[in-house]
Amino acid sequence: MKKISHLPLAIRLVCLLLALVVTSTSKFAWGQANVAPSLPSGSSGAAIQGFDPYSTAPQYGSVGPSYGGAPTYAAPPPTSSYPPPGSYPPAPSSPPANFSTGPSTFYPQQPQPLYQPAQPFAYQQPQQSYQIPYERFMENLAFEYTFLPKLSDEEDTLQIQDFEASVTALFPNFLFSEHPLLVTPAFVLHLWDGPSTMVQDLPANAYSAYLDFAWNPELTPRLYAELGFRAGIYTDFQTLNTDSLRLQGLAVGNVRLTPTMTLKGGAVYIDRLDTKLLPVFGLLWEPDSLTRFDITFPYPRLSKYWTTFGDKKIWWYVGGEYGGGSWTIHRYDFPTMDDVSDQIDINDYRVFIGLEATHPNRLRAYAEIGYVWDRNIIYRSSIPNLKVDDTVMLRLGFNF
């Protein structure tokens, strides 16, 4: 009798089983693809969006703060730089923990303080956020215009216009830490009109070109630092010498006293004729996600969420700053009736009120109006210094 082989039948049964498994797996995967990812704890009610590996906004919500047991502390805030305005929760444009809005504004060598960094302020919400796997290399492109007009035709008046542009590059994991190095090249055009005395004189324009480095390492869960270094050329390009090169530095320690309160202390080296070093001290208090009181000399700023207009979050704030800068210039010397090289400081104090709007696509815009007083022009040469009239200030800017 011929022996019957059951191998072909077994093969058919195995193939049939594989086909059933593949079909059921595909149906399960299709069902999963149509189910939104679950929200992390603490983000109930947050909008769910598709994951974008190139987005810099927090994705799938964030982990809320713990109110039971030991207090939780946030990662160190990004460089303020200052300096554009930072967004605040619950705005969807709130930046990730390692994002910075520009160079540190503790350097008051130019009319626009960079503590925001070039913008009013940047804020890290007091809670742990999900970190995204990718970050943009060019993190921030900013432009700012500042106008200090003449309020009279007196000879001791000075009009100033500043046009500033900057861009920030991010180098992650600097010195094997979890915190990036921020490198910001910037260029500023200064237009001056006045004074018109027969002794003091200024050129019509001057320039500031600098390279800023900022790093905010976290030393312990309660202690972090704000470190900065800046090298720049400040001149009218008619007089270019060793005094045109200015080196500045920043070292500020931050101690978290509570999850909502941080003590700040340190110093900033600004390398001017009249002032070389300024202390940095104060208190940062964030009682809730809609309020931020940064009571820190030399750039205090009190900020409060106002309203939402469309998809834009609107904040108002009041602040103060030590303004001005230092430049090498070529000026006309009236006693000798000849052109000479010199160096000047322009120093003043400013208070202002402003509005900031943030958009989910990272665009931020702000407008400020303020008052400027105790304005002085300091000369390196032997000619007398000059106190110019007080004025008002208008400042507009955006960054993305």
Side-chain angles (χ1 to χ4, degrees), residues 129-149:
S129 298
Y130 275 104
Q131 297 301 308
I132 57 178
Y134 301 98
E135 291 174 311
R136 300 190 312 180
F137 174 67
M138 305 307 294
E139 280 293 314
N140 188 68
L141 177 64
F143 176 80
E144 183 172 272
Y145 170 70
T146 304
F147 180 47
L148 279 65

Side-chain angles (χ1 to χ4, degrees), residues 64-302:
S66 171
Y67 296 101
T72 59
Y73 294 89
T79 302
S80 300
S81 301
Y82 199 202
S87 63
Y88 292 73
S93 58
S94 179
N98 287 337
F99 173 74
S100 171
T101 56
S104 170
T105 61
F106 282 113
Y107 302 113
Q109 82 282 7
Q110 26 199 38
Q112 177 262 349
L114 301 181
Y115 178 76
Q116 67 210 66
Q119 303 68 8
F121 44 78
Y123 170 67
Q124 168 68 26
Q125 57 187 12
Q127 60 187 39
Q128 181 63 38
S129 298
Y130 275 104
Q131 297 301 308
I132 57 178
Y134 301 98
E135 291 174 311
R136 300 190 312 180
F137 174 67
M138 305 307 294
E139 280 293 314
N140 188 68
L141 177 64
F143 176 80
E144 183 172 272
Y145 170 70
T146 304
F147 180 47
L148 279 65
K150 284 185 174 182
L151 299 183
S152 71
D153 295 328
E154 299 293 330
E155 61 181 17
D156 58 348
T157 57
L158 172 63
Q159 177 174 291
I160 297 176
Q161 297 186 73
D162 295 321
F163 301 83
E164 177 172 0
S166 66
V167 62
T168 299
L170 182 149
F171 297 87
N173 304 322
F174 181 63
L175 295 182
F176 307 102
S177 71
E178 296 180 356
H179 306 282
L181 174 68
L182 303 173
V183 180
T184 303
F187 182 81
V188 190
L189 167 63
H190 311 276
L191 301 181
W192 297 331
D193 181 9
S196 57
T197 71
M198 295 301 295
V199 178
Q200 295 88 357
D201 184 34
L202 290 180
N205 52 62
Y207 308 89
S208 301
Y210 65 84
L211 188 63
D212 181 272
F213 301 86
W215 185 43
N216 299 334
E218 183 179 21
L219 307 178
T220 72
R222 290 176 179 257
L223 177 64
Y224 64 93
E226 296 176 60
L227 306 176
F229 173 76
R230 179 174 296 178
I233 298 294
Y234 302 85
T235 178
D236 62 355
F237 287 114
Q238 298 295 320
T239 295
L240 190 60
N241 52 37
T242 55
D243 294 327
S244 305
L245 174 64
R246 297 172 55 216
L247 305 179
Q248 300 165 84
L250 166 71
V252 178
N254 298 262
V255 180
R256 297 185 185 91
L257 304 178
T258 71
T260 62
M261 191 172 295
T262 300
L263 183 66
K264 311 177 75 171
V268 55
Y269 180 71
I270 61 175
D271 192 19
R272 296 193 191 179
L273 293 174
D274 191 50
T275 304
K276 297 295 184 183
L277 193 69
L278 287 175
V280 177
F281 60 89
L283 192 68
L284 172 62
W285 181 40
E286 299 160 304
D288 53 60
S289 63
L290 303 179
T291 308
R292 187 175 193 258
F293 295 156
D294 191 354
I295 313 169
T296 304
F297 176 86
Y299 296 110
R301 195 174 301 257
L302 311 180

Side-chain angles (χ1 to χ4, degrees), residues 298-345:
Y299 296 110
R301 195 174 301 257
L302 311 180
S303 314
K304 184 72 176 177
Y305 171 78
W306 180 28
T307 187
T308 299
F309 183 76
D311 55 357
K312 303 171 185 63
K313 306 296 179 179
I314 311 296
W315 286 73
W316 66 267
Y317 55 90
V318 295
E321 65 192 43
Y322 180 57
S326 184
W327 299 265
T328 56
I329 63 169
H330 200 68
R331 63 174 181 82
Y332 184 76
D333 187 60
F334 290 96
T336 62
M337 302 182 66
D338 194 10
D339 291 335
V340 297
S341 296
D342 206 344
Q343 183 179 359
I344 61 158
D345 282 0

